[in-house]
Amino acid sequence: MITIIEPFRIKAVEPILMTTRAEREEFIKEANYNLFKLDSEKVIIDFLTDSGTSSMSARQWGSIMQGDESYAGSPSYYRFKNAVANLMPFKHIIPTHQGRAAEKILFSVIGGKGKFIPNNTHFDTTRANIEYTGAVGVDLVIEEGKNPALEHPFKGNINLERLEAFINEKGVENIPVVMLTVTNNSGGGQPVAMENIRATKEICKKYNIPLFIDACRFAENAYFIKTREQGYANVTIENIVKEMFSYADGCTMSAKKDALVNIGGWLALNSDVWAQQARNLLILTEGFPTYGGLAGRDLEAIATGLEEVVSEDYLHYRIVSTQYLGNHLLKAGIPIVRPTGGHAIYIDARAMLPHIKPLQYPGQSLAIEMYLHAGIRACEIGTVMFGLQPDGTEKEAAMDLVRLAIPRRVYTQSHIDYVIEALTEINANKNKLKGVKITWQPEQLRHFTANFDFID
Ligand SMILES: *Cc1c(COP(=O)(O)O)cnc(C)c1O
């Protein structure tokens, strides 16, 4: 049997408002052709992000009722702490309201002017929190990780030679930590091999620099190790996760990804000195160390989510259903970033729409048409997002992609088949798609609020 069935039944449902193309033409026009400004109720399939959009299980909803809301020393904190420590056995586990709060606290402690923090590829909030302290974030992903059409099993790997050369160039004293993001979100959700984590740790050990993991999609990364790396086929996901973190000295985590909840995060680390400083900052901005920025019920839901996310049946369904979407788009002749990553499919809009120049935003044009044609909301990751330069001029981005991020346990195969059909139909008429122009934009982060219109 080849059909991948969802390894769950549905107990509670949310209606999807079915709209017509004529209605969607009105809605998107009112939103000035910016999908971020569209009300979510007007979307049929929402692929804007996989962050905080997971369905919780019946067990997690049960955990919510068990939450103990005591200000200090709540049993829910201990349940959370034990669930995290079971997979990521760090000495100090500090809850935060989401991933960027953990980053803010960590880099406030270890960042600052003159410091450099290497990573395979920094996520945008990670980079922003590093730079806010005056430090510099540096991306050292392997060359293969930058070529969208190239097949490689671990395109998230860090370039070990460049890492060591970088440490020697900048000086050990200026590098407070080395980071690895698993999976590499900004690089297409591509995994990092165990061998690469181990070798990164060897370099860190040689220079006495701690290794921190940006752990958001740790379980998806572990599944890729199990299925793609020699020697792991018979190791349980839980043991692969434990080995991954055995090489690290700490981690930051957004529970909105692989903890299967809608809000939450943590900072975990071994250093007593850093943990002390982090807890002081935590009290200032997040809350008392046994709840961080969260309610007791959130801590309970995370604890249960961590038990569920390492299930092999769940991860098999998760990764294979993402691959299913990617493979069918490829079969339909639609160019995507390869191989398919864990949490999203990235369409190469520049390659798909060669008649639309990068400065006429092929990614935005495709994203608008996906909404008009089928009510699908996706996210442009290209010249709209990265093209505006600090001096106000514009430059084409390295790539013009459209990301289809897939919420966890939310959509069924028939939803995905609908998306495949819609994109196949759009591809057949792609020459009719028009370029877009920006009619208004803010000075920064323009993709969230800019207004667009079609070029005639
Ligand atoms: C989402 C994400 C973050 C930030 O987490 P938030 O919970 O959104 O603040 C950091 N790193 C990576 C790799 C992420 O995907």
Side-chain angles (χ1 to χ4, degrees):
M1 276 178 285
I2 53 163
T3 302
I4 309 305
I5 68 162
E6 290 79 16
F8 48 81
R9 297 183 298 181
I10 296 166
K11 179 173 275 187
V13 298
E14 288 177 292
I16 293 174
L17 179 69
M18 302 308 285
T19 53
T20 63
R21 178 163 182 129
E23 287 167 336
R24 291 193 292 272
E25 277 170 1
E26 281 305 306
F27 298 151
I28 189 82
K29 196 170 169 202
E30 277 166 29
N32 291 299
Y33 300 97
N34 186 332
L35 295 135
F36 282 101
K37 296 206 273 188
L38 207 55
D39 293 341
S40 61
E41 288 171 332
K42 294 168 179 163
V43 173
I44 295 178
I45 304 284
D46 206 343
F47 284 165
L48 196 62
T49 178
D50 67 316
S51 176
T53 52
S54 300
S55 284
M56 292 212 296
S57 66
R59 275 184 72 226
Q60 282 178 293
W61 284 108
S63 302
I64 290 267
M65 278 309 292
Q66 306 262 329
D68 180 302
E69 305 302 342
S70 305
Y71 190 90
S74 157
S76 298
Y77 168 71
Y78 292 103
R79 219 196 128 218
F80 158 82
K81 182 173 162 254
N82 292 337
V84 175
N86 177 48
L87 296 170
M88 310 170 182
F90 298 113
K91 197 168 162 199
H92 305 280
I93 294 165
I94 300 170
T96 59
H97 80 275
Q98 61 186 88
R100 67 197 68 184
E103 293 167 350
K104 164 88 179 147
I105 288 169
L106 175 66
F107 298 122
S108 299
V109 173
I110 69 170
K113 247 200 165 75
K115 300 274 199 277
F116 297 87
I117 298 172
N119 199 333
N120 45 4
T121 312
H122 287 289
F123 182 67
D124 52 13
T125 61
T126 320
R127 172 177 290 283
N129 275 303
I130 289 169
E131 288 174 356
Y132 189 72
T133 72
V136 177
V138 186
D139 296 338
L140 298 176
V141 74
I142 55 170
E143 284 307 309
E144 291 89 335
K146 299 178 196 167
N147 181 347
L150 190 89
E151 292 276 348
H152 182 288
F154 291 102
K155 282 171 102 172
N157 283 354
I158 196 165
N159 185 326
L160 298 163
E161 278 126 59
R162 283 189 65 200
L163 174 63
E164 188 155 13
F166 185 82
I167 294 170
N168 285 314
E169 184 195 323
K170 299 298 179 194
V172 173
E173 66 282 7
N174 297 319
I175 302 177
V177 291
V178 170
M179 292 188 78
L180 280 175
T181 303
V182 301
T183 59
N184 191 20
N185 184 5
S186 304
Q190 300 291 332
V192 180
M194 191 73 87
E195 190 189 11
N196 192 255
I197 302 176
R198 205 180 296 126
T200 305
K201 177 62 184 180
E202 284 302 313
I203 294 175
C204 289
K205 222 186 201 162
K206 180 170 162 192
Y207 295 96
N208 204 14
I209 301 172
L211 173 62
F212 270 58
I213 294 181
D214 179 338
C216 297
R217 296 177 183 78
F218 72 93
E220 292 176 8
N221 200 86
Y223 186 82
F224 283 117
I225 289 174
K226 184 175 174 88
T227 51
R228 291 184 184 172
E229 190 163 347
Q230 215 188 341
Y232 288 94
N234 297 319
V235 185
T236 63
I237 294 292
E238 218 176 293
N239 284 336
I240 293 174
V241 170
K242 285 177 186 166
E243 184 180 342
M244 285 165 55
F245 287 93
S246 74
Y247 302 121
D249 304 282
C251 75
T252 54
M253 174 73 185
S254 168
K256 301 173 73 171
K257 296 16 178 301
D258 268 355
L260 297 173
V261 294
N262 308 115
I263 195 72
W266 63 84
L267 168 65
L269 67 176
N270 287 332
S271 161
D272 296 336
V273 176
W274 287 357
Q276 182 61 47
Q277 293 172 22
R279 286 201 175 97
N280 289 343
L281 286 171
L282 187 84
I283 291 176
L284 207 62
T285 58
E286 292 281 297
F288 190 74
T290 60
Y291 72 84
L294 296 169
R297 55 179 170 267
D298 298 323
L299 297 168
E300 290 277 349
I302 291 171
T304 304
L306 287 176
E307 289 166 13
E308 293 178 357
V309 79
V310 292
S311 144
E312 220 154 287
D313 288 345
Y314 160 72
L315 285 169
H316 178 71
Y317 142 79
R318 169 76 176 157
I319 301 300
V320 174
S321 60
T322 304
Q323 282 165 356
Y324 173 88
L325 172 57
N327 290 342
H328 278 80
L329 295 185
L330 279 173
K331 225 181 269 173
I334 297 167
I336 63 167
V337 174
R338 301 163 73 172
T340 54
H343 68 290
I345 296 295
Y346 297 71
I347 300 176
D348 186 345
R350 191 179 292 173
M352 179 176 168
L353 306 172
H355 65 288
I356 302 178
K357 294 190 205 74
L359 291 182
Q360 299 181 352
Y361 316 127
Q364 188 67 19
S365 171
L366 177 60
I368 294 169
E369 182 59 23
M370 285 169 63
Y371 178 71
L372 285 172
H373 191 74
I376 301 162
R377 176 157 70 170
C379 181
E380 193 261 13
I381 301 195
T383 303
V384 172
M385 194 179 271
F386 303 120
L388 184 61
Q389 306 301 302
D391 65 1
T393 60
E394 243 198 332
K395 201 167 85 181
E396 63 180 68
M399 295 187 268
D400 278 296
L401 305 176
V402 174
R403 184 183 76 174
L404 283 58
I406 305 174
R408 293 168 182 78
R409 303 192 295 205
V410 171
Y411 293 116
T412 64
Q413 186 173 342
S414 69
H415 290 115
I416 301 293
D417 285 335
Y418 169 84
V419 172
I420 293 164
E421 269 175 50
L423 274 157
T424 305
E425 287 168 14
I426 292 169
N427 195 45
N429 291 304
K430 65 181 184 181
N431 295 333
K432 292 194 192 133
L433 264 63
K434 289 194 251 176
V436 223
K437 61 185 176 194
I438 291 178
T439 56
W440 175 83
Q441 65 183 20
E443 281 169 24
Q444 274 151 2
L445 295 172
R446 64 177 178 178
H447 56 285
F448 290 124
T449 54
N451 296 339
F452 300 88
D453 207 345
F454 290 111
I455 298 169
D456 282 317

